[in-house]
Amino acid sequence: LNGNFESELQAVTALLDKPEMLSSLVSRGKLMNTKGIIILANLDTEKAAAVQDTIESIDLLQIAANTLEQESPKDASEAFNNLGVAHAVSSFESAEPKHREAAISSLQIALQKVQHAEENQYFLRGCIYSNMAQILLDGEPQNDSDLKLASEYSREAMLIFEQKAIDINLTELERQNGLSRALTLVALCYVRANSAVMAEGLYQAAIDKYVSTDPFIKMAHRDSLSRYSDLCKKWEKREADARRLEQTSNEVNSSIPHNWRDKHGIMCGLTIPRSII
C-alpha cells in the first residue's frame, strides 16, 4: 500500500521462484494474486510497455483465480475481484468492449464465490458491487441499460454498508469509507439521470464520511470531490464551489503516495490479501 512496487515485486517473485517455501496451492495462488496487483498498480499508461504489463497482470490474476477457485472460495473471490479491476483498467485505456465484458463477468464470479465462502465477507461484497457500478458509469459506451444496472449495483453496495455491516465484524472506518464510495456512485447515477439536486446531497454525505490515510480510500475521496466539482461546473453561480472542490481534490491526490497518485479510481476497488503464506 505504500507504493514500493519494485521492492515488493522482487520479494513476491523470489517466493514464487522457490516453491518449496510455499505450504500449499492456496499460498501460491495468493502470491500470484499479489504479483498481479503489483504489476497493475505499477502500470504507467504513457509507456510503450503498458499494454504488455496489463496483459501480464490479467494473466497472473486469472491463474491466481483459477488456482484458488477449488481450494479457497474466500481467496478466489478476492482474486476474481482483482481480475475484474484489471480488465476494467484495460477497458478504460483501450475502450474495447471485450475488456468491459470480461471485467463484469469476473466480478460476477467474485460475487458468487464470496456468497459461498464460509466467512461473511460483506466488505468485499460491497466493494464488488461498487466496482461493477463504476465500470458501467466510467466506461464507454453508456446506455439506459448500463445506467439501470449501475444504479442497482451502487444501491446494493450502499445497503450493505448502511445496514448489513452493522452486525458483522467490520470496523467503523471500513464501513464509513465503503459507504462513502457507494454514495458517490449512487450520486453519479442521479447526475446521469439529470437529477442534480439529489446528486448534490449524496455527494455532500459521501465527502463528509471519508476518514483515512489509506491510499485506496484517498483515491475514492479524490474522485468524490472531483465528481462533485464537475456537477457544480454545470450550474450557474457555482463556479466558486467548483474551484474549491477541485482544489481540495487536487490536494487529496497530492497526499497520496507517489506511485498510487493519479491512478484511475477503479484501483481503489482492489483487494489486497491480508496474508500470503
Side-chain angles (χ1 to χ4, degrees), residues 43-209:
L43 190 69
D44 187 340
T45 55
E46 296 182 359
K47 291 185 177 179
V51 173
Q52 186 58 42
D53 288 345
T54 307
I55 293 172
E56 183 179 2
S57 172
I58 289 172
D59 287 346
L60 280 165
L61 291 167
Q62 183 69 71
I63 295 170
N66 292 343
T67 300
L68 294 165
E69 190 168 11
Q70 301 301 322
E71 303 291 332
S72 174
K74 169 185 175 293
D75 296 309
S77 62
E78 293 184 353
F80 276 110
N81 174 69
N82 293 334
L83 177 61
V85 172
H87 276 298
V89 171
S90 184
S91 171
F92 296 146
E93 293 300 326
S94 67
E96 291 186 16
K98 66 178 184 180
H99 287 296
R100 189 175 81 152
E101 292 167 7
I104 295 297
S105 176
S106 297
L107 291 167
Q108 288 173 336
I109 295 172
L111 201 57
Q112 293 171 1
K113 296 297 178 186
V114 77
Q115 288 171 342
H116 288 91
E118 293 181 1
E119 298 178 30
N120 289 327
Q121 295 177 286
Y122 284 109
F123 183 82
L124 176 56
R125 192 177 300 180
C127 183
I128 293 167
Y129 276 118
S130 289
N131 286 342
M132 290 195 292
Q134 186 165 355
I135 289 166
L136 293 172
L137 291 166
D138 285 353
E140 296 291 345
Q142 293 172 353
N143 52 45
D144 291 343
S145 177
D146 289 343
L147 182 57
K148 182 180 179 180
L149 278 174
S151 179
E152 291 175 3
Y153 293 150
S154 57
R155 286 181 180 279
E156 186 64 30
M158 182 180 70
L159 289 173
I160 285 171
F161 291 116
E162 273 188 336
Q163 300 174 13
K164 295 177 182 176
I166 294 172
D167 299 322
I168 60 175
N169 188 25
L170 271 187
T171 67
E172 182 63 16
L173 190 64
E174 286 177 322
R175 194 181 75 82
Q176 291 288 357
N177 288 313
L179 179 58
S180 296
R181 184 185 178 208
L183 287 170
T184 295
L185 294 167
V186 174
L188 188 55
C189 289
Y190 276 109
V191 171
R192 299 287 161 79
N194 297 313
S195 298
V197 175
M198 285 291 296
E200 180 171 32
L202 289 162
Y203 279 140
Q204 289 172 343
I207 289 167
D208 288 344
K209 292 182 183 298

